[in-house]
Amino acid sequence: MSNIIDGKAIAAEIRSEVEVSVSSLTRDTGIVPGLAVVLVGDNPASQVYVRNKQKSASDIGMNPMDIKFHQDVDIAIIEAKLDQLNEDESVHGILVQLPLPGHLDEKSIIRRINPMKDVDGLHPENVGLLLAGIPRFVPATPAGIQELLIRTNNNPSGQHVVVCGRSDIVGKPISALLLQKDKSANATVTICHTGTKDMGAITRQADILIAAVGIPELITSDMVSDGVVVIDVGINRKPDSSKKTGYKLVGDVEYIGVSEKASAITPVPGGVGPMTIAMLLYNTMKAAKLTSE
Ligand code: GUN
């Protein structure tokens, strides 16, 4: 039976650390970190995430700004708003919640954000800085995964980390982050994706397995070895008539079977999810601090 990695508790610890930094920044400089969160459309999961991000920001003394657009909004309207936020000195961090409706070009919208305010770390300038080994803003979910590993004494250094998924938001940046020559990284990283022939043959070699594929319970117990550390990034809704909502949340890992073999595993919910918000706050604090230097 494995240890459950308590992302909720570790995220609370990080939020308190960031709160201390916010209060000293505000005391010393008068700056209140401002975080603009842009939501397009009415995707119910995105609405929940955005609300949580704003509440968490406000709880630690930041100034969250709520920007909402209709599902059918023209890209030019969003670009004009981003231009205005880029100029606004009270806004230190800008986040456009993804995914965007199909008619909007996500990459072009992200490129419109001032890279010094890109607290999601998705602008090509910040992606490049991470790959070059001089990160400015590390995307929040990968940063959260690294913190979870370190704070639970599962340092990835020298370990074989297998990442399932190659998204811009998780798979690519966590791979870049953990292969850096750094005492909190320094892993041997293998990336599996939809083009991988026999995923199980590779995931069974993992000391640390990071599942970020967006497919409910794809990783089953036959795909892992005894003692593996499992980080489950998936948050999927699975129909469940016994629940009031009609669904339950499951990860990309078949939790019950895999936890029998894993030495440590993140639950869903309560694993990676809260860490993403904590690290977003960390990045927003960093963005505000950069403007005061
Ligand atoms: N959608 C799911 N995760 C994220 C994230 O980390 N940032 C943004 N902007 N959108 C997301």
Side-chain angles (χ1 to χ4, degrees), residues 49 53 95-99 120 122 140-141 169 276:
Y49 297 147
K53 286 172 184 179
L95 175 151
V96 177
Q97 185 66 26
L98 303 174
D120 248 346
L122 300 177
T141 301
I169 256 192
T276 297

Side-chain angles (χ1 to χ4, degrees), residues 155-161 178 185-188 207:
N155 194 310
S157 182
Q159 302 294 299
H160 185 189
V161 174
L178 295 186
N186 206 30
T188 301
D207 300 311

